[in-house]
Amino acid sequence: MTFENAQNLWHQTCAEQVEAPVLSSDVTVDLVVIGGGYTGCSAALHAAQMGASVCLLEAEEIGHGGSGRNVGLANAGLWLPPAEIRKHMGDGPGDRLVSLLADAPRLVFDLIARHGIACEAVQNGTLHCAHSPAGFKDLQVRHTQLQSSGAPVDLLDAEETAARTGSDAFYGGLFDPRAGTIQPLSYARGLARAAVQAWAQVYQNSPALRIQHDGDVWHVETAGGTVRAKALIHATNAYHRDLASSAPEYVPVHYFQCATDPLPEALRATILPGGEGCWDTGLIMTSFRMDEAGRLVIGAMGNLGHAASDIHRAWVRRKLIELYPELREVPLGQGWHGRIAMTSDHIPKITAIGPRAYAVHGYSGRGIGPGTVFGKGMAEALITGDDMRLPIPAIDAYHEWMTSARQIFFETGATLTHLFKARF
């Protein structure tokens, strides 16, 4: 079984393509966007729809980073429950962010429908599954807070959760009907394709090598040309390259996934029959969902690129059998991993990196909805000059502490958990 990123299921099943050549000339635009993930593509699309001239630069291919490697759960909100967001941000900004991200799935699925993005979109909700009695208590707290914020969520007992998941491994669940699943790489490339159709210029394999402001406009240099722009958005998140002027500070956390071969119809009828996407309450979280062809995609925190990664690989099979004993003999055909930009408070950060310029990072594993919302908000703020369009207030700088040590801590914790857990 191969777990290289070349075995990324999303690359194999991506139905969207975008014409994005290498930048080979000098360009002058209203807005330059660096980064071709959800944030950058959303920013480019929305700015172009407002009538602005836009140039997007992606160092690799569109969706190369986390946007083409994640689980594909289009959730409402962040990992944090609403009260924790307000605690960190204050009531006013916290209420605004909670409200915007509560509506994030609607924005995502509306964009998919409006632009005909072929990304296996299923808006049948998500299930946050309690892996223990303590996990169910956490879901009860989240349920109360979410309902008080107006979210239409339902708390499910163990029996109902088993009926919806097809597994009796959980003590209950929290169902959110606003959310759903997508083919994540197809969504990113579909946004880029829609941006091109709105007359944005999109270039890939065109890394930004130098960024500077001359007192009037921004200059972004690549190997093949230079982009001059009145405004700039830096949206590279956990896949930032060596551009010190806007380098984000975060804790890199890896997340890996594996996919079964397509399941027989009889099994598909009993495993996630309603099409929900799922994750559990474990500290080292497990996610699982079904794709359009009936593959079960299962993932967890961990890096498949180091010497001890065989521990993660062995755990996948054990966890799959723990959840669904009937899949004991089903092959796992693909495996891949990506990076998450984690902040200490699990809240994204927008930094003002110069005149009419923003950088954003730190979705902490919730990139699809927040990335789409933040890209749209930053584009609107820069094009209109109204910073109230930003989803959160911009700050001058953001600093994290002991990022390398904490990265090692998270990966060691994931490795040890996977070494000892789900053993029979």
Side-chain angles (χ1 to χ4, degrees):
M1 181 165 49
T2 301
F3 282 81
E4 301 297 332
N5 280 331
Q7 295 297 313
N8 185 332
L9 172 67
W10 309 135
H11 283 269
Q12 297 177 15
T13 63
C14 184
E16 282 283 349
Q17 299 297 326
V18 56
E19 292 294 327
V22 175
L23 180 65
S24 59
S25 61
D26 295 338
V27 175
T28 299
V29 291
D30 296 320
L31 173 66
V32 60
V33 179
I34 301 172
Y38 302 132
T39 305
C41 292
S42 175
L45 171 59
H46 286 97
Q49 288 179 328
M50 295 175 71
S53 56
V54 183
C55 176
L56 182 149
L57 299 173
E58 164 56 43
E60 302 286 344
E61 295 183 342
I62 298 297
H64 167 79
S67 298
R69 302 167 189 258
N70 70 78
V71 180
L73 302 183
N75 281 302
L78 299 171
W79 292 120
L80 297 177
E84 288 296 310
I85 295 174
R86 296 184 183 101
K87 176 182 175 181
H88 287 290
M89 298 185 65
D91 288 344
D95 284 342
R96 172 169 165 75
L97 184 60
V98 168
S99 177
L100 284 172
L101 296 186
D103 202 40
R106 184 199 59 78
L107 175 62
V108 168
F109 288 102
D110 280 357
L111 288 171
I112 291 168
R114 187 180 316 140
H115 298 288
I117 299 175
C119 63
E120 304 181 15
V122 178
Q123 196 174 8
N124 285 356
T126 53
L127 290 165
H128 194 179
C129 300
H131 79 297
S132 67
F136 188 68
K137 290 180 180 179
D138 176 62
L139 294 187
Q140 290 174 312
V141 172
R142 290 173 180 268
H143 177 253
T144 299
Q145 291 188 21
L146 287 166
Q147 279 205 327
S148 69
S149 298
V153 295
D154 292 322
L155 188 66
L156 311 180
D157 62 17
E159 183 178 359
E160 178 64 16
T161 303
R164 288 178 181 253
T165 61
S167 172
D168 60 4
F170 302 109
Y171 291 80
L174 187 63
F175 174 65
D176 189 337
R178 300 169 296 179
T181 62
I182 60 173
Q183 209 281 18
L185 179 60
S186 289
Y187 176 58
R189 290 185 176 171
L191 288 176
R193 188 250 309 154
V196 170
Q197 292 174 337
W199 302 107
Q201 300 178 59
V202 175
Y203 300 97
Q204 58 187 4
N205 299 308
S206 302
L209 304 177
R210 186 182 180 198
I211 301 173
Q212 64 176 352
H213 193 267
D214 66 4
D216 183 27
V217 297
W218 288 95
H219 296 255
V220 181
E221 297 179 14
T222 74
T226 298
V227 182
R228 300 174 74 253
K230 300 172 185 176
L232 180 146
I233 291 174
H234 203 147
T236 51
N237 202 31
Y239 286 80
H240 183 82
R241 293 198 171 198
D242 187 20
L243 289 165
S245 62
S246 57
E249 292 190 20
Y250 59 89
V251 180
V253 175
H254 286 83
Y255 199 92
F256 72 92
Q257 296 168 82
C258 304
T260 69
D261 287 355
L263 301 180
E265 287 296 331
L267 288 177
R268 292 179 66 177
T270 62
I271 296 175
L272 296 172
E276 301 94 341
C278 305
W279 75 101
D280 70 15
T281 55
L283 182 62
I284 305 300
M285 184 194 79
T286 302
S287 62
F288 55 103
R289 55 159 295 194
M290 200 79 74
D291 81 342
E292 188 173 68
R295 302 177 184 89
L296 187 71
V297 182
I298 180 170
M301 186 185 297
N303 184 350
L304 297 181
H306 60 71
S309 63
D310 283 347
I311 292 171
H312 298 314
R313 302 172 186 179
W315 169 87
V316 173
R317 171 58 65 184
R318 299 198 310 272
K319 187 65 177 182
L320 184 68
I321 295 170
E322 179 187 83
L323 293 176
Y324 299 108
E326 62 269 37
L327 301 186
R328 182 179 297 273
E329 303 301 326
V330 172
L332 285 162
Q334 292 91 11
W336 65 99
H337 68 268
R339 287 196 304 277
I340 293 169
M342 189 81 71
T343 60
S344 294
D345 59 9
H346 306 299
I347 294 174
K349 310 301 175 189
I350 295 176
T351 52
I353 58 174
R356 297 189 64 191
Y358 296 121
V360 61
H361 77 282
Y363 298 121
S364 298
R366 281 287 180 99
I368 295 175
T372 305
V373 169
F374 274 61
K376 177 178 183 288
M378 288 189 297
E380 291 175 348
L382 289 171
I383 299 306
T384 65
D386 179 8
D387 61 8
M388 294 302 294
R389 300 284 190 102
L390 294 174
I392 58 175
I395 55 179
D396 292 332
Y398 177 75
H399 301 290
E400 281 282 349
W401 54 278
M402 299 178 64
T403 56
S404 295
R406 290 161 68 201
Q407 178 184 7
I408 294 171
F409 172 81
F410 282 121
E411 180 59 29
T412 301
T415 302
L416 291 174
T417 297
H418 292 161
L419 177 62
F420 295 110
K421 293 291 186 180
R423 291 192 176 275
F424 308 107

